[in-house]
Amino acid sequence: MTLAPSRGPLVLAAPADPSPLRIFGGRGGTVARLEDLDRSAQALDGAARALDAAFAALTRVQAKLDEWSAAPLDPTPEQIASITTARAARGAVEPLRHGPWGTRALAGELRDAAAKVRSARQGYESAEGLASRAFRGVLSYLVTGFTATPLGTVVLSKPLVLSLATEAAVWKLGGGPYPGDRTEKYLFVLANMIRSIGSGPRLASGDPVPEAAGRLARTIRLAQPPRKIEALEVPGGGSTGEPPRGVRDLVRPFKDAGTLNPDGSFRGDGVIVTKISRPDGSTAWSVTIPGTQRAGAGWEDHPFDNLSNLELEAGMLSDSEKAVRLAMEKAGVGAEDPVVLTGHSQGGLIAQRIAATGGFSVAAVLTIGSPTGTSTMRSTVPTLHVEHVGEPVSSLDANPNRDDKLSTTVVRELDEESSRDPRVIHDTATYEETAAAIDASEDPSVRSWLDELEGALGSDGEAESRVFSVHRLATL
Amino acid sequence: MSWTQTCSPESSRSGILGELDAVRAQVSEAVLALRGALVAEWSSVAAAEYQALVARHLEAVLRLARTVDVAEGSVRGAQLTREQATGLPW
């Protein structure tokens, strides 16, 4: 709050919104609001139709009373009494038809209210993401122009390579922000090209990554011998403390996990499974899943590699998901115990898969810098996606995150220096700062997700963490 | 319990009172539509304001229902007087 000078009394002026966070989806998001607007409009319209029918029945009642009110030429006293009461009854019925609280007026009000709700719905819907949807529509049309033509993919590869080279040169020379957001558009084109290779001319897909990733993953798998997946507890890696109470508490453990570097620091390559013993005797779990650890594709001894990335985006079972499930089973996570999964980068994809495919009672998911916009990564439990502007990894889905009741996305704009370096943008330490800002947010979607977190893990109790290293072993 | 809180069976009355039963049935339908919306699962954080809108209109329809009860007394009186005057039930 600042004091703005003015003539006369001082005026209190609210400061500009200092929050660097942009939040969409969740219970405060468009889809949730649209569903409620639809429900309101349907109820109001249904009631209006019923009152229209009531008005018609009342009209028939009045017609009959009009008939009874007609006086003969020489009425008897009984007939006069009958006519008088009929006319009085007509007067009593009239407000039901045309009075300010009558059926006609109420039906009109209900219809007006329904129309206003529908109008609000339209305005709300078109205000959200219209420009983005229009851009994607034009892009799809253009890409189809190539992928639906013989040799079109080959022709398209030239401008794509040129664009990428130009982006790289401009970024390196100019030192501006890392163009991670535009990656989404390039990936959209590239994934559609991969889809059309060898399968003949095809229309562009709005969600091309899962199919393209699946094709690549299956091809790589053909060249890989079967491997055994193992999760082993890291001796001395455990710790005790308080249960996580916010996003920052969930992000902080990433740096203290995994196997040890020669200098004694942690590599952050392990899976942390934290048991929370609640005062009422119940048990809840928090699982921290790291991101990609190796650049290879299937031949690495750590299963968190690029083959797993491709399989996860394709909606397939990956070695990294198997490893996390194994670590959870070895830690003793019960099928009915509430679990909160937190994943960085690839870890976020694994978390979404485990939540969607079952085996554990996942109550909430937190993804950090993960590409979760594909149809294969749709949320099935309350999920908070945290990203940074220019994120090099979360844009690999070639699609924005969904705006639905279960998915809340928080995007933070970093300072100028941080936004130049893709490693800083994607680093868990940077995300820890973002997490602190999220915990302080009053946004209804964020608060709703934090309520889910508290509901799952409780606000008190004791936490005991164990760290598991995960391996892809050769089989004999 | 008000008739707006119960199901509305087919009217067994004929004539003008049967028509009034049809009015009651339709008003009950309107109440049911609005009450159903109130107890349904609302998803957004703005649900309270939409529920308030529906609740406001539900209150107006319930007021209409009370007026139907008042009008029925008059119509019933008119029918009775008519039967006495003509000797014919309607």
Side-chain angles (χ1 to χ4, degrees), chain A residues 61 65 68 85 89 93, chain B residues 13 16-17 20-21 24 68-83:
Chain A
V61 170
L65 291 169
W68 291 355
T85 52
V93 169
Chain B
R13 301 193 290 186
I16 199 164
L17 293 178
L20 271 179
D21 286 340
R24 283 179 195 275
V68 171
D69 287 338
V70 173
E72 170 149 3
S74 298
V75 172
R76 203 195 296 268
Q79 188 186 31
L80 195 63
T81 320
R82 168 98 179 151
E83 284 170 8

Side-chain angles (χ1 to χ4, degrees), chain A residues 27-28 32-33 35-37 39-40 43 50 53 57-58 60-61 68 78 81-82 85 89 92 96 101 106 110 117 405 444, chain B residues 16 19 23 26 29-30 37 41-47 50 53 57 60 63-64 67-68 71 74-75 78 81-82 85 90:
Chain A
R27 287 192 65 223
R33 196 176 275 261
E35 282 180 8
D36 281 356
L37 286 166
R39 180 171 295 121
S40 288
L58 285 165
R60 292 193 292 274
V61 170
W68 291 355
E78 291 80 10
S82 169
T85 52
L96 288 175
W101 302 107
L106 270 182
L110 288 163
V117 168
K405 282 184 290 183
Chain B
I16 199 164
E19 291 290 6
V23 173
Q26 292 303 334
E29 281 295 313
E41 185 189 336
W42 292 73
S43 50
S44 83
V45 289
Y50 305 131
L53 175 80
H57 285 94
R63 190 163 44 218
L64 172 74
T67 320
V68 171
S74 298
V75 172
T81 320
R82 168 98 179 151
W90 285 75

Side-chain angles (χ1 to χ4, degrees), chain A residues 291-336:
Chain A
T292 304
Q293 301 297 320
R294 301 286 187 276
W299 54 83
E300 304 278 8
D301 61 353
H302 199 297
F304 285 58
D305 66 354
N306 282 314
L307 175 58
S308 288
N309 277 326
L310 291 169
E311 287 176 328
L312 286 160
E313 283 292 8
M316 297 157 65
L317 177 63
S318 68
D319 288 347
S320 56
E321 181 189 336
K322 286 182 200 167
V324 175
R325 285 183 176 276
L326 204 53
M328 290 171 72
E329 283 164 17
K330 285 194 170 183
V333 180
E336 303 300 322

Side-chain angles (χ1 to χ4, degrees), chain A residues 59-313:
Chain A
T59 304
R60 292 193 292 274
V61 170
Q62 274 205 329
K64 182 59 77 180
L65 291 169
D66 283 342
E67 194 184 303
W68 291 355
S69 300
L73 282 175
D74 187 17
T76 62
E78 291 80 10
Q79 283 175 323
I80 291 170
S82 169
I83 289 162
T84 306
T85 52
R87 286 179 180 169
R90 193 190 190 286
V93 169
E94 181 58 18
L96 288 175
R97 297 178 69 229
H98 290 298
W101 302 107
T103 45
R104 172 147 283 187
L106 270 182
E109 272 182 36
L110 288 163
R111 251 192 304 275
D112 282 352
K116 279 181 189 156
V117 168
R118 289 217 162 81
S119 167
R121 184 199 196 285
Q122 271 185 335
Y124 206 81
E125 191 175 32
S126 58
E128 289 276 333
L130 185 63
S132 158
R133 282 206 300 275
F135 180 83
R136 291 186 69 78
V138 170
L139 195 59
S140 288
Y141 182 75
L142 289 173
V143 173
T144 295
F146 289 97
T147 56
T149 316
L151 293 178
T153 302
V154 179
V155 175
L156 184 59
S157 62
K158 192 174 175 183
L160 181 66
V161 169
L162 271 175
S163 299
L164 289 171
T166 308
E167 286 280 8
V170 168
W171 172 59
K172 277 193 172 173
L173 287 172
Y178 181 76
D181 295 353
R182 289 196 290 282
T183 308
E184 215 163 69
K185 277 85 180 177
Y186 294 124
L187 252 296
F188 180 83
V189 177
L190 183 64
N192 268 302
M193 286 166 61
I194 292 170
R195 282 177 68 245
S196 65
I197 292 171
S199 58
R202 298 182 70 178
L203 294 174
S205 163
D207 183 28
V209 168
E211 192 182 339
R215 290 186 80 176
L216 293 172
R218 278 187 285 274
T219 307
I220 294 168
R221 271 279 171 212
L222 288 175
Q224 299 295 333
R227 309 279 288 271
K228 187 185 176 205
I229 303 303
E230 189 57 273
L232 302 168
E233 186 169 358
V234 177
S239 61
T240 55
E242 293 186 345
R245 296 198 173 95
V247 181
R248 190 176 193 180
D249 291 347
L250 292 169
V251 175
R252 192 181 290 131
F254 278 112
K255 64 177 186 296
D256 301 325
T259 51
L260 285 171
N261 283 310
D263 65 359
S265 64
F266 288 101
R267 287 199 177 97
D269 58 355
V271 177
I272 309 172
V273 184
T274 303
K275 179 181 182 180
I276 294 146
S277 303
R278 298 169 68 165
D280 64 1
S282 64
T283 304
W285 301 83
S286 171
V287 182
T288 311
I289 311 166
T292 304
Q293 301 297 320
R294 301 286 187 276
W299 54 83
E300 304 278 8
D301 61 353
H302 199 297
F304 285 58
D305 66 354
N306 282 314
L307 175 58
S308 288
N309 277 326
L310 291 169
E311 287 176 328
L312 286 160
E313 283 292 8

